[in-house]
Amino acid sequence: MSKADAVKVASALNAGETELFSPTEQSCAVVASPEFEYFPSKSKYLVHPSPELNALFAHKPYQGAAPERARFLFIGLDANYDAEIETKPIFSKVREYHDDGVAFWRKHGVHHPFLLPEYSGDGRRYHQSFSRIGFGPEHADLVSFIELLHVPTVGRNILAANNLDATHLNMLNAAILGGNPTHIFIPRSVAGLMRATGVFPWLAKVPQEQAGSLDLLFRTGTKTVYSHLHFSAYGKFTQRKAQEATAIRALLPRFS
């Protein structure tokens, strides 16, 4: 998305056009495969109204290290932000983070601006959970976060396969199979949507084996794809999340 497109999106949202895209209006629609059907008529997502945030995502549709260069790749659904994030004091740090997530982590000691003291909004739980795994600034250039949706969003969203951009999905597939990542982590709901696109035919429907508390969906050569709980899960999932964090921590390289 260009900055001009981002301005158009923001104008549409400000005018009250909340259901911004219909399934037929997607620029690069991906048809759901029959074995995992999604219902486009029920899908709904809102592109974030901030032109600057959209421009940042257009330049880098990922966070942290580039996905094809990272060793640890974490895949999500969409990057969700407060509707008024651009007007908040934290936005300068958000801008800095999206410009260079690796440098941000090394400078501030945390992997995401939502963990800084001046932020207290939504999204903090996800990043607090991730931080408990044990990644540190020394791992900054080894970690990448990427979402299936290539634009930032606001509010609660329901995504279907035809909401997704084919170019972005193909880039992700190439990063997984042909890039540097050796450990790829996909929450269960994310894996379901990935299968629905038809772009990831190698992604198993059921675990092929287990590595401690982590289910394995794919393994070839040096690459392993893991299924895990979403980092925002809580309540009855707390114990399982802690076990999965321990399993991921065991994969971290040791630096002297």
Side-chain angles (χ1 to χ4, degrees):
M1 177 182 288
S2 67
K3 192 160 187 176
D5 289 336
V7 172
K8 182 179 178 182
V9 165
S11 297
L13 285 171
N14 290 336
E17 298 175 18
T18 55
E19 293 206 8
L20 192 60
F21 297 113
S22 72
T24 58
E25 290 172 323
Q26 300 305 316
S27 59
C28 296
V30 182
V31 179
S33 58
E35 70 268 17
F36 199 100
E37 187 65 40
Y38 272 74
F39 303 97
S41 63
K42 295 184 180 180
S43 68
K44 179 180 178 182
Y45 74 94
L46 300 179
V47 178
H48 199 282
S50 165
E52 186 169 0
L53 190 59
N54 275 279
L56 289 168
F57 270 79
H59 179 59
K60 287 184 178 179
Y62 60 85
Q63 299 166 61
E68 70 275 10
R69 297 178 183 174
R71 189 183 306 182
F72 296 85
L73 180 59
F74 293 86
I75 304 175
L77 287 174
D78 63 316
N80 194 264
Y81 294 82
D82 184 282
E84 305 297 327
I85 190 72
E86 192 172 321
T87 67
K88 298 181 183 297
I90 194 66
F91 192 68
S92 62
K93 297 294 194 305
V94 171
R95 186 189 303 115
E96 179 185 349
Y97 170 70
H98 281 285
D99 183 61
D100 190 335
V102 173
F104 178 93
W105 196 345
R106 290 172 174 166
K107 176 181 176 180
H108 296 282
V110 292
H111 74 275
H112 196 277
F114 287 0
L115 293 175
L116 294 172
E118 57 262 46
Y119 183 79
S120 59
D122 292 341
R124 193 174 178 89
R125 176 188 289 127
Y126 176 98
H127 294 288
Q128 285 176 328
S129 293
F130 178 83
S131 67
R132 294 188 187 105
I133 293 172
F135 287 96
E138 67 274 19
H139 302 112
D141 61 344
L142 303 180
V143 180
S144 179
F145 301 92
I146 187 168
E147 283 74 35
L148 297 185
L149 190 65
H150 61 296
V151 292
T153 62
V154 61
R156 299 183 66 85
N157 301 288
I158 302 172
L159 299 178
N162 67 340
N163 296 139
L164 307 178
D165 180 87
T167 300
H168 181 73
L169 295 179
N170 288 326
M171 178 273 287
L172 174 57
N173 190 55
I176 294 172
L177 297 181
N180 194 49
T182 56
H183 302 291
I184 300 98
F185 300 89
I186 309 176
R188 292 164 180 78
S189 58
V190 178
L193 187 52
M194 289 174 70
R195 285 189 288 268
T197 67
V199 177
F200 310 90
W202 46 266
L203 188 60
K205 293 183 185 179
V206 295
Q208 304 299 293
E209 54 183 300
Q210 286 190 311
S213 60
L214 293 169
D215 293 330
L216 272 56
L217 298 178
F218 179 77
R219 175 179 276 177
T220 180
T222 61
K223 296 180 178 294
T224 306
V225 177
Y226 306 86
S227 174
H228 67 99
L229 290 172
H230 194 277
F231 292 126
S232 294
Y234 62 98
K236 66 179 181 179
F237 301 109
T238 301
Q239 182 177 357
R240 176 64 184 249
K241 275 180 60 179
Q243 293 170 344
E244 292 180 348
T246 298
I248 298 172
R249 188 179 308 118
L251 301 172
L252 301 186
R254 303 290 182 237
F255 297 101
S256 56

